[in-house]
């Protein structure tokens, strides 16, 4: 075996894990050093903004153990783990996460921690320049210019202080509209009938007990967004108003990122950056069309695109990059092949 073959064999024996954790679920992928994804597994939310710390640790530990077991990998093979978790860009939270992961994993494992926006952007641009707009349970926009290693973050301040245009924000506004109608201080909306039917509740008086009794209230409220979009698409005036406000908020996040990148790096050409759209709301074609038609987005010159690979695959790719492995066209193809033919 020559040196090139030996190096290739070593990469095939190495294992890299990418973990993408948002407000609703956590995805974990494991693959070798050549870009071949071996398996993926999924768990509950690991957002440190909204979940108890013990629950976050449990989810991460269980997913790593499951990925190793499903891929039939040995502990000695694991070389790197890259985590993209909601809320993990704050220094104090990153330090706490790193300490836990260091205790959990062997000394040879490289550990890198970022927020979930960075990894979604990487999944959409293969690490090249661009802006990512996330609208899932929460919302955030992130921009990146690799030539100058410039990052810009807008939004992502959590469901109490921000997350405008997110699933939680839309769901909360929908529930407020339902309660206002019930009080007699709001206009009639089909949201009431749709939500009562979905939750099998007899009348709006039961909504408060139902919502507050849930173990993850934020996720339950965010789930209302899909019904709000459906009701708006069918012409309900109240739902339509809620969705239009969310579109305007999301457009503002993305355009503000572009403007700040232009100020920070005036020599950079940011006129036609890709705008990567990530999160559950963008799986709705009608919602996508509404965002594309927004005046601010249309005037910005941003080129909208959905993710072609999941954010967890972006985490896995960044784990490879952190190890000094060049992301070749072959590696990109391996990852893309998993998305089209695998389970993720």
């Amino acid at each position: 075996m020559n040196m090139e073959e030996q190096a290739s064999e070593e990469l095939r024996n190495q294992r890299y894990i990418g973990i993408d954790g948002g407000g609703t679920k956590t995805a974990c992928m494991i693959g070798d050093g050549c870009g071949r994804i071996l398996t993926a597994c999924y768990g509950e939310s690991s957002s440190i903004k909204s979940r108890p710390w013990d629950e976050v640790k449990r989810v991460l530990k269980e997913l790593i153990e499951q990925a190793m077991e499903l891929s039939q990998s040995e502990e000695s093979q694991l070389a790197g783990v890259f985590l993209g978790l909601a809320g993990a860009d704050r220094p104090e939270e990153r330090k706490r996460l790193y300490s836990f992961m260091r205790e959990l994993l062997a000394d040879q494992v490289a550990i890198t921690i970022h927020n979930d926006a960075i990894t979604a952007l990487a999944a959409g641009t293969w690490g090249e320049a661009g802006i990512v707009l996330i609208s899932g349970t929460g919302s955030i926009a992130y921009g990146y210019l690799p030539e100058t290693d410039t990052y810009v973050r807008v939004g992502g301040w959590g469901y109490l202080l921000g997350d405008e245009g997110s699933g939680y924000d839309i769901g909360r506004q929908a529930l407020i509209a339902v309660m206002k109608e019930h009080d007699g201080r709001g206009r009639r909306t089909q949201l009431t009938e749709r939500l009562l039917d979905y939750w099998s509740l007899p009348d709006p008086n039961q909504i408060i007990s139902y919502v507050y009794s849930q173990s993850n209230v934020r996720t339950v409220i965010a789930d209302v967004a899909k019904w709000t979009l459906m009701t708006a698409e069918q012409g309900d005036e109240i739902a339509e108003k809620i969705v239009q406000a969310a579109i305007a908020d999301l457009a503002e996040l993305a355009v503000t990122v572009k403007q700040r990148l232009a100020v920070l790096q005036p020599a950079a050409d940011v006129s036609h950056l890709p705008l990567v759209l990530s999160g559950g709301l963008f799986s709705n074609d009608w919602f996508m069309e509404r965002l594309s038609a927004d005046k601010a987005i249309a005037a910005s010159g941003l080129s909208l695109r959905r993710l072609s690979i999941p954010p967890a695959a972006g985490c896995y790719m960044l784990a490879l990059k952190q190890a000094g492995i060049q992301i070749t066209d072959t590696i990109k193809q391996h990852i893309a092949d998993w998305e089209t033919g695998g389970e993720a």
Side-chain angles (χ1 to χ4, degrees):
M1 182 182 296
N2 59 38
M3 292 182 62
E4 184 176 346
E5 291 173 335
Q6 184 176 356
S8 180
E9 181 67 19
E10 289 177 357
L11 288 174
R12 282 194 293 270
N13 286 328
Q14 291 173 356
R15 297 292 180 264
Y16 294 89
I17 288 178
I19 299 177
D20 172 67
T24 301
K25 67 177 182 179
T26 303
C28 177
M29 279 188 174
I30 184 170
D32 65 17
C34 298
R36 296 180 179 87
I37 297 174
L38 303 175
T39 193
C41 47
Y42 307 90
E44 304 162 56
S45 166
S46 56
S47 170
I48 55 181
K49 295 188 296 184
S50 59
R51 297 300 306 277
W53 175 234
D54 285 343
E55 288 297 300
V56 172
K57 291 193 295 182
R58 177 186 61 79
V59 170
L60 295 177
K61 181 176 183 292
E62 288 178 356
L63 284 176
I64 290 173
E65 290 174 348
Q66 188 177 357
M68 294 292 287
E69 181 179 353
L70 289 174
S71 63
Q72 299 181 338
S73 300
E74 301 294 333
E75 182 178 334
S76 59
Q77 292 179 283
L78 187 58
V81 175
F82 194 108
L83 300 97
L85 306 180
D89 52 344
R90 292 188 293 272
E92 64 275 14
E93 299 294 3
R94 188 179 297 183
K95 182 178 180 181
R96 181 164 61 154
L97 278 164
Y98 184 84
S99 295
F100 167 66
M101 296 301 295
R102 192 71 283 166
E103 294 174 2
L104 184 65
L105 301 173
D107 292 341
Q108 86 274 1
V109 182
I111 301 167
T112 309
I113 300 169
H114 275 287
N115 73 10
D116 55 339
I118 291 291
T119 53
L121 179 58
T125 67
W126 298 106
E128 299 302 317
I131 297 170
V132 64
L133 177 62
I134 297 179
S135 182
T137 305
S139 66
I140 191 173
Y142 235 92
Y144 176 53
L145 299 177
E147 298 84 357
T148 53
D149 198 32
T150 302
Y151 287 96
V152 166
R153 164 191 170 147
V154 175
W157 301 117
Y159 69 102
L160 292 178
L161 304 178
D163 281 354
E164 300 91 338
S166 67
Y168 175 84
D169 187 39
I170 292 173
R172 179 176 173 273
Q173 294 299 326
L175 288 171
I176 289 173
V178 169
M179 305 319 295
K180 282 186 174 181
E181 181 195 356
H182 181 62
D183 282 344
R185 58 194 174 104
R187 299 180 63 179
R188 186 178 183 281
T189 172
Q190 289 296 319
L191 286 167
T192 299
E193 181 181 351
R194 194 175 293 276
L195 288 177
L196 291 178
D197 182 62
Y198 177 54
W199 286 337
S200 300
L201 299 176
D203 62 72
N205 285 314
Q206 306 301 315
I207 289 178
I208 187 169
S209 296
Y210 177 84
V211 171
Y212 278 87
S213 67
Q214 302 301 311
S215 59
N216 192 343
V217 173
R218 184 168 171 247
T219 299
V220 170
I221 293 177
D223 189 49
V224 176
K226 65 184 179 185
W227 301 106
T228 309
L229 266 57
M230 185 183 302
T231 307
E233 189 174 0
Q234 293 172 350
D236 183 87
E237 186 177 348
I238 298 299
E240 166 68 18
K241 185 177 179 180
I242 292 170
V243 171
Q244 187 54 47
I247 292 290
D249 285 333
L250 292 172
E252 183 181 54
L253 290 175
V255 172
T256 302
V257 169
K258 180 185 175 183
Q259 293 170 342
R260 288 183 56 191
L261 286 173
V263 170
L264 289 173
Q265 298 295 333
D269 182 10
V270 298
S271 56
H272 297 289
L273 287 175
L275 176 60
V276 177
L277 304 175
S278 177
L281 288 184
F282 293 125
S283 63
N284 182 293
D285 291 336
W286 178 79
F287 190 72
M288 275 278 296
E289 292 171 4
R290 294 298 298 272
L291 179 66
S292 301
D294 180 83
K295 291 181 179 179
I297 290 292
S300 70
L302 295 170
S303 175
L304 276 63
R305 66 170 71 161
R306 277 182 172 137
L307 286 180
S308 58
I309 62 172
C315 295
Y316 165 68
M317 181 190 70
L318 289 174
L320 297 179
K321 290 188 71 171
Q322 289 292 328
I325 298 172
Q326 183 180 358
I327 307 302
T328 63
D329 289 341
T330 300
I331 286 180
K332 291 179 183 179
Q333 190 59 55
H334 285 322
I335 295 174
D337 286 345
W338 167 266
E339 172 57 10
T340 56
E343 304 171 5

